[in-house]
Amino acid sequence: MRKHWRFIRKFIESPAQIGSVLPSSRMLVGSMMEAVDWQRANTVVELGAGTGVVTQAINRLRSPQSRFYCFEQDPHMRTDLMSRFPGVWLERDAFELEQVLKQRGPGQADCIVSCLPFANLDDTAREHLLAVIHRTLSPGGLFIAFQYSRQLLPYLSAIYDDVDTRWVMLNMPPACVYICRKKQP
């Protein structure tokens, strides 16, 4: 419950950065996680980890041999995540995704899960970050994101051949999950 209050306080302080007044529900997290073949996801990335609701699910489901990179801009939330998830690489800025993967790992990710509020980014930043995400995904890789509207669909449909959307009504507010697969060569 303490994490929920911290999340609410962060939302009040910076609604554009946090994007929601409450953390993701179990149903939303489950909908995001079920699309991933966790035994084949050797490099996993989470963008916008917040209080770690999605981080915890990924960490529980991923293969023990996989690498997990987690990006969270808020320093207090990032410190909390570091103490709770010692085997996870924690980074600050999602816009540095490409550089981090090139410096620390294979350069590409098999799965990127985003909890970032893309609707709060200006068009240039949104398009740039979506292009970086697409470039860093390995062929056949998955990009999974949730938003509170279908505003992101035209951007994703322009980049990915395969985009599936699912509404999760048992979340506050209801959320749309985007599951995007990068084309195999």
Side-chain angles (χ1 to χ4, degrees):
M1 189 62 150
R2 205 171 105 211
K3 283 185 265 177
H4 282 72
W5 286 113
R6 184 180 318 133
F7 196 86
I8 291 168
R9 189 185 70 213
K10 294 292 182 181
F11 175 78
I12 291 168
E13 290 171 4
S14 181
Q17 184 180 346
I18 301 298
S20 173
V21 70
L22 293 172
S24 304
S25 70
R26 281 185 301 117
M27 286 64 68
L28 177 56
V29 174
S31 182
M32 295 173 77
M33 300 297 107
E34 69 186 9
V36 181
D37 180 350
W38 293 103
Q39 296 310 307
R40 294 183 180 207
N42 296 316
T43 303
V44 181
V45 173
E46 180 187 11
L47 306 176
T51 59
V53 175
V54 174
T55 312
Q56 183 174 358
I58 293 171
N59 205 41
R60 185 181 77 250
L61 294 167
R62 71 185 180 102
S63 163
Q65 296 80 25
S66 67
R67 289 179 174 212
F68 182 15
Y69 299 89
C70 193
F71 291 78
E72 175 52 50
Q73 193 170 39
D74 183 272
H76 301 293
M77 289 183 178
R78 197 170 54 252
T79 299
D80 180 55
L81 292 166
M82 283 181 200
S83 67
R84 291 175 46 216
F85 303 104
V88 176
W89 293 84
L90 276 138
E91 303 291 338
R92 188 182 92 68
D93 191 351
F95 285 89
E96 295 175 0
L97 168 65
E98 195 166 23
Q99 297 91 314
V100 168
L101 289 181
K102 283 180 181 176
Q103 290 171 356
R104 297 191 185 230
Q108 290 191 304
D110 301 304
C111 179
I112 298 174
V113 177
S114 175
C115 302
L116 294 173
F118 282 99
N120 294 349
L121 299 176
D122 65 57
D123 289 344
T124 303
R126 181 183 315 113
E127 289 175 20
H128 172 74
L129 186 55
L130 289 171
V132 166
I133 290 167
H134 187 265
R135 270 196 313 270
T136 58
L137 269 180
S138 59
L142 281 178
F143 171 55
I144 301 170
F146 79 88
Q147 300 291 287
Y148 299 114
S149 74
R150 292 177 53 95
Q151 176 185 2
L152 204 55
L153 187 58
Y155 294 97
L156 298 176
S157 295
I159 299 172
Y160 296 93
D161 293 321
D162 185 10
V163 178
D164 182 29
T165 60
R166 304 173 184 174
W167 277 99
V168 178
M169 301 310 286
L170 295 174
N171 190 70
M172 189 48 107
C176 183
V177 175
Y178 297 94
I179 301 166
C180 311
R181 186 172 300 277
K182 186 173 180 179
K183 189 175 182 178
Q184 299 267 9

